[in-house]
Amino acid sequence: RADIIMTECMLEAQQVVLPSHRARSHPWSPALIQAQRKKGLAANLLSILSNDRPITPRIERQFRRNATAIDPTWEIPPLSAHSIHKLAHDTNKHAKKQLHLTAELRRQHLEERRMGMVDAAASADREKALKNILKKERIKMKHRAIQNRLRSRNGPLTFVVDTDGTRRTDSEMIESIISYNATHFAQARTNGAY
């Protein structure tokens, strides 16, 4: 039971962090890293084409060298405007597909780590580790709640509506608030309220 709770806590902690689309953020998934690097390389080539710059032999050589470094088995067609657009579309589609699989890949990775930890640790150590994980998760949740509360969601007060229905702004608004407070708090206390 403790092992399942530990895995769930680790997965929840992973979900707290927004998934990054950068390859270095997923060291546990070589397939995703490769797909994202291919996508980035194709996007760079497409941006050169989009800026109306010609694909020079030097740029093509550099692209092929980088592509081979990413994946030696990657078959790259001769570079033309149509093939670059198709290449960028295909690599983007493949990277998105791999990104959708990240949750399952991460679950497998955490399960493997958990099994390794369970085999090596005694039951007392597991309970202590579980308590530490739960404590850290509570701290993260509290920190996130505090950040959400501190984030300003509404803009500043721009106007007030007076008792007679007129809309007051700027200095009139401040004077209206002050006069209302003066009359309100000058009243006698009745039934424990002002």
Side-chain angles (χ1 to χ4, degrees), residues 108-128:
Q108 289 174 0
H109 174 71
L110 289 174
E111 193 64 29
E112 289 171 4
R113 285 185 60 196
R114 183 188 62 79
M115 291 306 290
M117 293 167 117
V118 167
D119 293 342
S123 63
D125 292 338
R126 278 190 278 166
E127 286 180 30
K128 186 177 178 182

Side-chain angles (χ1 to χ4, degrees), residues 14-22 25-26 36 99 102:
Q14 180 69 23
Q15 292 301 322
V16 168
V17 180
L18 293 177
S20 171
H21 297 287
R22 296 179 186 266
S25 65
H26 309 288
Q36 288 177 335
L99 199 57
T102 56

